[in-house]
Amino acid sequence: MASKKKPKTPSNTIALNRHVKHDYTIEKRYEAGLCLEGWEVKSLRAGKLQLKESYILVTNGEAWLFGAHISPLKTASTHIKPDQTRSRKLLLHKEELNSLIGAVERKGYTLVPISMYWKNSRAKLEIGLAKGKKLHDKRATEKDRDWKREKQRLLKHG
């Protein structure tokens, strides 16, 4: 007897940066567009993106994504030379940029990429305004997570 599988619904998420939640406490989230080249969009559709070591800097009133690694496809055109880790400009509203500049320069926050996803066939980047966690904060969150998991086990088994 064959088991019926549910058809997969296409996920809009291209890539997640899982280390962000471990290293930072996220205060506020923003959505930004990206200036991409054609080969980059094709690679994103194939899911060839890594946000693990990427970061965001605000310079001269513009936000830039550094260190995001987009691997070119094997079928990429031969007349272009793809730069996998080039800096990419982020598209934000002026008010959002001003608030981000103020928070980063005056209050000591950090801008980190959280995830990249598709929205209306456009690639969007979720940015987090974050504060870095200290070692004891990381231990406390891990301890709380373990306690919640143990509590669920106890309640489940009686």
Side-chain angles (χ1 to χ4, degrees), residues 74-85:
K74 301 279 186 213
T75 59
S77 182
T78 56
H79 66 278
I80 58 167
K81 300 217 184 298
D83 184 11
Q84 300 173 359
T85 56

Side-chain angles (χ1 to χ4, degrees), residues 23-30 55-58 96-113 127-134:
D23 294 335
Y24 300 96
T25 55
I26 299 168
E27 304 287 326
K28 197 169 181 185
R29 295 171 186 255
Y30 294 92
Y55 57 97
I56 297 168
L57 290 178
V58 180
E96 291 175 335
L97 265 174
N98 290 337
S99 67
L100 288 176
I101 290 170
V104 169
E105 290 180 357
R106 290 183 213 98
K107 297 178 185 173
Y109 283 96
T110 307
L111 291 174
V112 290
I127 299 170
L129 187 64
K131 279 246 188 212
K133 283 186 183 177
K134 303 281 190 250

Side-chain angles (χ1 to χ4, degrees), residues 44-97:
L44 289 179
R45 292 223 180 267
K48 301 201 175 274
L49 170 70
Q50 188 176 32
L51 289 173
K52 187 175 180 180
E53 296 175 2
S54 59
Y55 57 97
I56 297 168
L57 290 178
V58 180
T59 54
N60 298 332
E62 296 177 335
W64 294 87
L65 175 67
F66 291 95
H69 188 277
I70 300 177
S71 301
L73 296 174
K74 301 279 186 213
T75 59
S77 182
T78 56
H79 66 278
I80 58 167
K81 300 217 184 298
D83 184 11
Q84 300 173 359
T85 56
R86 73 176 184 93
S87 57
R88 294 165 182 94
K89 185 176 178 182
L90 298 179
L91 306 172
L92 290 159
H93 291 285
K94 197 66 174 174
E95 304 86 37
E96 291 175 335
L97 265 174

Side-chain angles (χ1 to χ4, degrees), residues 93-152:
H93 291 285
K94 197 66 174 174
E95 304 86 37
E96 291 175 335
L97 265 174
N98 290 337
S99 67
L100 288 176
I101 290 170
V104 169
E105 290 180 357
R106 290 183 213 98
K107 297 178 185 173
Y109 283 96
T110 307
L111 291 174
V112 290
I114 299 171
S115 67
M116 190 177 286
Y117 54 92
W118 296 108
K119 183 176 179 182
N120 297 334
S121 71
R122 294 172 195 239
K124 299 288 183 178
L125 183 71
E126 186 177 13
I127 299 170
L129 187 64
K131 279 246 188 212
K133 283 186 183 177
K134 303 281 190 250
L135 183 62
H136 65 298
D137 293 335
K138 292 179 188 177
R139 287 182 186 148
T141 16
E142 194 171 319
K143 190 175 178 183
D144 289 341
R145 190 178 329 121
D146 290 343
W147 167 240
K148 286 179 184 174
R149 192 177 306 133
E150 186 65 31
K151 190 167 56 172
Q152 287 298 324

